[in-house]
Amino acid sequence: MNPPHHHPIFFIPSILVMIMAFTYIGQFEWVKNYQFYQTMIRLFPSEGLHYLMAAFIIWTLNALSNGFYASSRYFQDFYFLLPIQHRRYRELNTKDSNKYTLIRDRVFSMIRIESLTICIMFLLGKITMTILQSSWQISILWTLIWLFIMQIWTLNANAGLYHISSIIFMAQYYLTLRQKSHGRTLQRFYGRLLHYERKQSKQMRQLLLLQLIGHYYQSFAMLQREIHNYNQQLKRYLSVIFTLITVTITYLVYLILMTKQNFIFLLLFIVVTHSHYVALSILIIGCNMIKQNNVKTLRLQRKCLTLSAACERKLFHNYHLFKFETITSINLNRPSGFQLGNGVIITSYTFVTFLVNISTFFFLISQNFGRE
C-alpha cells in the first residue's frame, strides 16, 4: 500500500494552491477573467499578495518534499516512531520512561492546539476577506470550493512542518534520555575507580576490567550506532525543514513589518512566525543536546581511562590503553550528532547561521526584490 502522504487528499490541494500562487506571481493575463481565479485571489489581502503567494509556495514545497522526498516507503526506516508510541521499545528505566511519556503528551497536545488555532484564524481571515472584497458576488460555488481547498491545504501545511518537527524532537529527546542514562552509569563507574584508587582490591580490579571493556565501551558504541540510524532516517526531514523555513520566516516578517494587513491576517502572520521560530529553535536545541551529551560522555571516558591507568598499570595493557584513547580522541574531534543533508552537524551555532540567512534574505526582498 502507498504511504498515507501519497493520498490524493494530501497532494491535490497542495498542487492546486501552488499552481494558483505561481499563476498570480506570473501575472498571466489570460486567466484573470476566470471566476475560479478571481474568487481565490479575493480570499486574501491585496497588499503584499506577491509575498504571501511566495510563502504559500514555500509551505507547499515543504509539505510535498517531506511527503515524497524525505519519507521512505520502507517500514524499517520509521523505526524512530516505535519508542515514541510504545513503552516496550524504550530502553529506559521506569522513571525516565514515565517522564518521556509525560513530555510526549504535552508536546503533542500543544502542537494540536497550535495547529487548530492557526486553522481557525486562517478560516476566519478568509471569511472576513470574502465579505470585505465581495468574492461571493463573483461565484458562491467557487468561493466555497476555495475555502474548502485552502482549509485542507492548511492542515497539510501544518502537518508538514509542526507535526513532523514535534516527532523529530521527541526522537531527539528519547536519545537524550538514553545518553543521560548512560552518562549516569559511567559516572558511577568513575566513582568506583576513585574508590579503587584508595582501596586496592583484586576483586575490584577484575570487576573494572570486565565493566570497562565488556560493557561501557560496547554500550557507548551501540548508542552511537542508534544515533547514526536515527540521523539517517531523519536528516532528510531536517534538511527540508531547515532550508525552507528560512525563506518562509523571511516572507512572514516582511508581511508583518512592511505591509498593512487586516487585523486577523496580521495576528495570523505573527502567530505563524512565532511558531516557525519555536519549531526551528527546538529542533536546533534537540540536535545540539545530543552532540553536547556525546562530548561530555567522551570526556568522562577519557578521565576513566586516565584514572584506570594511574590506579594500576597492570590493569590494562598498553595496547588497550592506546586503542581506547585513540577511539575517544577521534570521537571528540567529530562528535556524533544529527546532520543536514550536506553532512554538517547541527549545533547551537547553527541557529546563528540561520538568523544570518534570514536577515540577508529579508534585506534582499525589502530592497524592491520581486516587488509587485
Side-chain angles (χ1 to χ4, degrees):
M1 296 178 60
N2 287 329
H5 51 261
H6 291 178
H7 196 280
I9 200 172
F10 166 74
F11 66 84
I12 289 180
S14 300
I15 292 177
L16 288 175
V17 171
M18 189 162 59
I19 290 175
M20 293 302 296
F22 272 119
T23 302
Y24 179 81
I25 294 176
Q27 291 292 297
F28 300 113
E29 296 295 333
W30 60 269
V31 77
K32 291 185 177 180
N33 294 325
Y34 287 94
Q35 291 181 343
F36 71 88
Y37 177 81
Q38 294 177 2
T39 52
M40 191 269 190
I41 296 304
R42 293 196 181 189
L43 293 178
F44 312 105
S46 57
E47 186 170 355
L49 194 53
H50 272 83
Y51 299 98
L52 181 58
M53 290 298 170
F56 283 167
I57 294 173
I58 301 302
W59 270 321
T60 305
L61 289 175
N62 178 81
L64 292 176
S65 299
N66 281 325
F68 292 93
Y69 166 72
S71 298
S72 174
R73 302 193 64 172
Y74 300 99
F75 287 111
Q76 61 266 29
D77 291 334
F78 293 96
Y79 171 79
F80 61 90
L81 294 175
L82 294 179
I84 298 176
Q85 185 67 20
H86 303 289
R87 183 184 297 266
R88 66 178 180 273
Y89 290 103
R90 301 174 195 163
E91 298 183 29
L92 300 172
N93 56 40
T94 304
K95 180 180 178 180
D96 286 343
S97 182
N98 292 336
K99 180 180 178 182
Y100 182 82
T101 301
L102 178 63
I103 297 299
R104 179 202 63 185
D105 294 341
R106 289 180 177 179
V107 168
F108 287 169
S109 295
M110 288 189 294
I111 291 298
R112 284 192 291 268
I113 294 173
E114 180 184 44
S115 299
L116 181 61
T117 301
I118 292 174
C119 289
I120 292 176
M121 291 180 63
F122 193 41
L123 180 60
L124 290 176
K126 289 181 294 183
I127 293 175
T128 301
M129 297 309 300
T130 299
I131 297 173
L132 293 177
Q133 303 195 90
S134 303
S135 63
W136 54 274
Q137 293 182 350
I138 300 175
S139 174
I140 296 178
L141 177 61
W142 275 112
T143 300
L144 294 176
I145 289 175
W146 278 117
L147 284 173
F148 175 75
I149 291 176
M150 291 303 302
Q151 206 62 22
I152 297 297
W153 173 85
T154 307
L155 292 171
N156 292 330
N158 285 337
L161 179 60
Y162 304 125
H163 293 185
I164 291 179
S165 298
S166 64
I167 292 173
I168 294 174
F169 173 73
M170 291 313 303
Q172 295 170 339
Y173 186 65
Y174 169 71
L175 293 176
T176 300
L177 290 177
R178 291 283 314 279
Q179 289 176 309
K180 290 182 178 179
S181 177
H182 176 79
R184 290 193 298 266
T185 305
L186 190 61
Q187 187 66 47
R188 289 194 294 267
F189 173 69
Y190 181 70
R192 292 182 182 181
L193 280 174
L194 292 174
H195 178 74
Y196 168 72
E197 187 179 15
R198 294 190 298 266
K199 296 183 180 180
Q200 301 286 337
S201 164
K202 181 178 180 181
Q203 180 181 4
M204 189 64 184
R205 182 167 62 247
Q206 293 174 350
L207 177 63
L208 290 175
L209 180 62
L210 176 63
Q211 287 186 338
L212 187 60
I213 295 180
H215 176 70
Y216 291 109
Y217 268 85
Q218 184 179 6
S219 176
F220 182 74
M222 292 176 64
L223 182 56
Q224 297 309 297
R225 190 179 301 114
E226 187 172 5
I227 293 175
H228 173 75
N229 292 336
Y230 271 59
N231 175 64
Q232 291 298 112
Q233 297 164 9
L234 295 174
K235 69 179 181 180
R236 286 191 174 186
Y237 292 109
L238 288 171
S239 299
V240 171
I241 292 175
F242 277 41
T243 301
L244 297 181
I245 203 174
T246 305
V247 185
T248 306
I249 291 176
T250 304
Y251 280 118
L252 290 171
V253 172
Y254 183 88
L255 289 170
I256 294 171
L257 299 180
M258 309 296 288
T259 62
K260 294 181 180 180
Q261 298 291 330
N262 176 272
F263 174 75
I264 296 180
F265 271 94
L266 178 62
L267 186 60
L268 173 64
F269 294 153
I270 293 174
V271 171
V272 174
T273 303
H274 175 266
S275 301
H276 279 52
Y277 270 118
V278 171
L280 179 64
S281 302
I282 288 177
L283 289 177
I284 292 177
I285 290 172
C287 295
N288 183 65
M289 287 176 61
I290 293 175
K291 186 252 185 184
Q292 292 298 326
N293 286 334
N294 279 334
V295 172
K296 292 179 182 178
T297 301
L298 289 167
R299 288 175 178 172
L300 186 56
Q301 284 185 351
R302 173 170 283 178
K303 290 170 65 177
C304 290
L305 281 175
T306 304
L307 187 58
S308 299
C311 288
E312 185 174 344
R313 296 190 177 278
K314 293 182 180 179
L315 187 60
F316 297 104
H317 296 295
N318 291 333
Y319 169 75
H320 292 297
L321 286 173
F322 178 76
K323 180 178 67 174
F324 293 139
E325 176 60 28
T326 302
I327 295 173
T328 304
S329 299
I330 292 175
N331 288 328
L332 273 174
N333 289 333
R334 186 176 174 83
S336 299
F338 277 64
Q339 302 175 357
L340 296 175
N342 57 3
V344 175
I345 297 178
I346 303 171
T347 63
S348 57
Y349 181 76
T350 307
F351 189 77
V352 178
T353 303
F354 276 92
L355 286 180
V356 171
N357 293 338
I358 291 172
S359 302
T360 303
F361 197 75
F362 178 80
F363 174 79
L364 290 175
I365 67 172
S366 64
Q367 300 299 314
N368 296 326
F369 181 73
R371 182 178 291 275
E372 52 190 298

